[in-house]
């Protein structure tokens, strides 16, 4: 399985989390980067994951990912998350491809591995903890990714024929968009970089 991980340019990312860093843009960018680095660190360590590639036009993200041994592909001219994922999938030219969101700072490799195994050869997705969004989308072997991320993406992925995977994988389902999500992810056990990037209120 090869995974594409989209990472928005840090200065524009995670706007719903801005209050967590008190409006300081430097701390905010550091937190957004830490979320992505912790997610990718867990993904790279997952048995069954052969390759991880981030899709980003942010040179700071690409440099940090390179330090982890992870390649980055620049975003295409067409804007938006799904266009970025389609571009990444095309670039990888892999037989088996998936898209993993970059805001899963509590992600445990064992849970990602279990979800990959549960998918088998099906096109499948993992909904977020609220059941409305999507944290992981897996193409069938040789099949297209056909990403439909955005508001209500779980419903869109289901309607497009992907199978919902609802296993006991809280770290895989806990994407962090808000301060409340961050608190929940902390209970699950944050990756080291996000833990270090957090403001004092969480301690
Ligand atoms: N490369 C790329 N990644 C994106 C883009 N939009 C969203 N993402 C990534 O997709 C994932 C889910 O995005 P959201 O949760 O909506 O994140 P966000 O847009 O940074 O957050 P908000 O500003 O709060 O909506 C995150 O990993 C983002 O970094 C995009 O246009 N390009
Ligand atoms: C883009 C998505 O993420 P979020 O709900 O975190 O914005 C999605 O779930 O499709």
């Amino acid at each position: 399985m090869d995974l594409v991980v989209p990472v928005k340019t840090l200065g524009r990312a995670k706007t719903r989390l801005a209050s967590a860093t008190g409006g300081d843009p430097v701390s905010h960018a550091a937190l957004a980067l830490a979320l992505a680095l912790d997610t990718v660190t867990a993904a790279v360590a997952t048995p069954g994951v052969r390759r991880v590639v981030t899709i980003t036009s942010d040179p700071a993200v690409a440099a940090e990912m390179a330090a982890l041994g992870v390649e980055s592909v620049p975003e295409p001219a067409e804007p938006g998350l799904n266009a970025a994922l389609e571009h990444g999938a095309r670039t990888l030219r892999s037989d088996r491809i998936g898209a993993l969101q970059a805001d899963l700072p509590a992600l445990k490799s064992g849970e990602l591995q279990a979800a990959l195994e549960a998918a088998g050869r099906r096109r499948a997705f993992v909904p977020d903890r609220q059941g409305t969004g999507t944290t992981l989308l897996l193409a069938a072997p040789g099949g297209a990714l056909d990403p439909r991320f955005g508001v209500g993406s779980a419903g869109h992925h289901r309607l497009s024929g992907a199978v919902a995977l609802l296993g006991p994988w809280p770290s895989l389902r806990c994407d962090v968009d808000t301060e409340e999500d961050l608190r929940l992810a902390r209970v699950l056990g944050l990756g080291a970089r996000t833990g270090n990037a957090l403001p004092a209120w969480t301690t």
Side-chain angles (χ1 to χ4, degrees):
M1 175 67 64
D2 291 354
L3 293 177
V4 288
V5 180
V7 187
K8 210 173 181 176
T9 296
L10 296 176
R12 295 190 287 110
K14 292 288 140 207
T15 55
R16 285 169 282 174
L17 259 186
S19 59
T21 43
D24 171 40
V26 174
S27 307
H28 183 73
L31 179 57
L33 176 61
L35 298 176
L37 290 171
D38 281 336
T39 304
V40 166
T41 298
V44 165
T46 300
V49 173
R50 189 181 64 164
R51 188 177 176 200
V52 177
V53 171
T54 62
I55 315 301
T56 188
S57 291
D58 191 320
V61 174
E64 293 283 344
M65 292 295 169
L68 294 181
V70 168
E71 184 191 341
S72 292
V73 170
E75 291 180 24
E78 188 185 344
L81 174 54
N82 290 315
L85 289 170
E86 296 267 28
H87 177 67
R90 271 194 305 273
T91 306
L92 251 71
R93 291 164 170 265
S94 164
D95 176 57
R96 192 79 208 270
I97 194 133
L100 180 72
Q101 298 284 43
D103 52 8
L104 304 167
L107 183 61
K108 308 290 179 285
S109 294
E111 293 186 15
L112 177 56
Q113 179 186 10
L116 299 179
E117 288 172 1
R121 297 177 59 81
R122 302 173 295 178
R123 179 165 175 270
F125 71 101
V126 175
D128 63 13
R129 66 183 176 84
Q130 295 91 344
T132 53
T134 304
T135 61
L136 175 70
L137 173 67
L138 302 171
L145 187 60
D146 191 12
R148 299 172 186 218
F149 286 88
V151 175
S153 62
H156 296 304
H157 287 134
R158 190 177 279 111
L159 275 175
S160 73
V163 175
L165 302 174
L166 301 166
W169 313 310
S171 78
L172 178 57
R173 299 188 63 181
C174 188
D175 59 339
V176 168
D177 294 322
T178 64
E179 284 191 39
E180 175 64 13
D181 296 331
L182 201 46
R183 287 195 183 89
L184 287 169
R186 187 162 182 256
V187 171
L188 294 174
L190 289 169
R193 292 181 183 83
T194 305
N196 288 334
L198 282 184
W201 60 258
T202 55
T203 59

